[in-house]
Amino acid sequence: MLVRSFLFVPGNNEKVIAKAEQLPADVIIYDLEDAVAPDQKADARERVCNALSATAKSVIVRVNSMETPYFLEDIHAIANLKADTLTAIMLPKTNRNTDVVALDLLLNSLGVPANVGILPLLETALGVQNAFEIGSSSDRVKRLAFGSVDFGLDIGATLTAEGTELLYARSRIVLASRAAELEKPIDTVFVDFRDTEGLEKEALMVKGLGFGGKLAIHPMQVDCINAIFQPTQAEKDQAAEIMAYVEEHGAAVFQLNGKMVDEPIIKRARQICELAEMLDSKQQGEN
């Protein structure tokens, strides 16, 4: 499954929910939390459940945090629906491994299939500090996500275009994800959706750190994120050349075009080829 772009869609906006079906985002996140006022929670929950029954997209639902009175209602509504399109539940403000364990036990008790994941959103100092334990807490956790806006508020940082104040947190999440043998984590939103140049610069930077995709708050951001978090033509050509050499010679260490190639580089080349195949398959399906 392609997981480059994760687009937040307000759960209380029926027109935006319908429009999301036509957008190129790899994953849609129906939002029941930040985007929905308290007096609209019930209506948003109903709209999202209806959308889950009708969508053809890969969908995540961001429920309200465990500290709110809406959390259990969100989970029970989703569990009763038993929608095949639900990929995961995003758990906001995940601070401890016990948060994930509690949700996992609840989902099991309600008969939610094991292939429905839990996507912890790390938005506090405590959540980032406990990233490895959170990532290791349940088989439902496949990757972690970073929420910088609340994180910045929590630590008293001033968020800047350079993102220096977030570098440690981002690196810690990447390292924790690898140590817990998870998929690459998902980076936070870029709040100025009109600043395409700024988004591109930040996306390239976090991709270099080891993130595998990025959250988006506006459809205008999706194409840029998709373009950044996929192999370039040069990377695909190089990977194909490496894999062709391996297939022909069966070598684990060799020189190619004046560069030494060993097992980690071969593994990366294989990943790039697999991703390229998924992209080609998606494009063929859209044509």
Side-chain angles (χ1 to χ4, degrees):
M1 187 177 84
L2 289 172
V3 286
R4 302 162 296 175
S5 54
F6 294 68
L7 177 64
F8 281 111
V9 174
N12 59 343
N13 193 321
E14 190 169 358
K15 290 183 178 180
V16 176
I17 289 175
K19 183 180 179 181
E21 286 294 307
Q22 310 304 319
L23 297 174
D26 292 330
V27 181
I28 296 297
I29 303 177
Y30 292 137
D31 191 10
L32 297 176
E33 194 208 17
D34 285 350
V36 182
D39 62 347
Q40 297 179 340
K41 296 290 187 184
D43 287 342
R45 192 180 300 117
E46 183 177 355
R47 291 183 191 280
V48 166
C49 286
N50 290 337
L52 278 168
S53 299
T55 185
K57 304 281 286 186
S58 296
V59 172
I60 292 172
V61 176
R62 176 162 73 170
V63 298
N64 289 276
S65 68
M66 302 179 85
E67 292 76 22
T68 69
Y70 314 110
F71 170 74
L72 286 177
E73 294 179 16
D74 292 345
I75 298 300
H76 279 277
I78 293 169
N80 289 335
L81 191 64
K82 292 182 170 59
D84 294 336
T85 54
L86 181 64
T87 301
I89 293 171
M90 175 178 275
L91 183 62
K93 298 175 179 63
T94 306
N95 289 326
R96 301 174 178 84
N97 61 344
T98 51
D99 297 339
V100 176
V101 171
L103 177 54
D104 190 8
L105 291 172
L106 178 58
L107 295 177
N108 290 339
S109 71
L110 295 173
V112 176
N115 63 350
V116 175
I118 296 173
L119 178 57
L121 185 59
L122 309 183
E123 303 179 88
T124 65
L126 186 58
V128 172
Q129 183 71 17
N130 292 330
F132 173 76
E133 290 77 9
I134 290 169
S136 306
S137 58
S138 167
D139 288 340
R140 291 185 186 265
V141 177
K142 306 303 181 185
R143 56 179 55 83
L144 302 172
F146 181 40
S148 68
V149 177
D150 283 318
F151 176 79
L153 289 172
D154 187 48
I155 67 171
T158 299
L159 300 184
T160 64
E162 294 76 20
T164 307
E165 69 285 350
L166 301 176
L167 181 58
Y168 173 76
R170 280 172 161 148
S171 297
R172 186 177 180 92
I173 291 170
V174 169
L175 291 174
S177 297
R178 182 68 191 99
E181 299 184 349
L182 301 177
E183 299 294 329
K184 290 185 175 184
I186 306 305
D187 189 50
T188 186
V189 299
F190 187 81
V191 295
D192 187 355
F193 62 84
R194 294 182 180 88
D195 183 6
T196 303
E197 184 178 345
L199 171 61
E200 182 178 356
K201 181 178 179 181
E202 182 172 277
L204 283 168
M205 185 270 290
V206 300
K207 179 184 179 182
L209 289 178
F211 282 86
K214 195 163 177 62
L215 301 172
I217 57 172
H218 194 279
M220 289 172 56
Q221 299 178 315
V222 170
D223 285 337
C224 177
I225 292 172
N226 283 347
I228 296 298
F229 287 96
Q230 65 185 31
T232 65
Q233 188 60 51
E235 289 173 331
K236 289 189 288 186
D237 291 344
Q238 183 183 51
E241 188 176 8
I242 290 172
M243 295 313 300
Y245 187 97
V246 171
E247 184 175 348
E248 181 178 355
H249 300 282
V253 179
F254 55 91
Q255 289 187 22
L256 186 64
N257 299 326
K259 295 181 180 180
M260 184 65 67
V261 177
D262 58 7
E263 187 57 35
I265 295 176
I266 295 171
K267 182 177 180 181
R268 175 59 179 159
R270 185 177 293 110
Q271 291 172 342
I272 290 173
C273 289
E274 290 172 353
L275 180 56
E277 289 178 7
M278 285 191 286
L279 288 167
D280 289 344
S281 177
K282 181 178 181 179
Q283 291 170 355
Q284 290 173 5
E286 293 172 350
N287 295 333

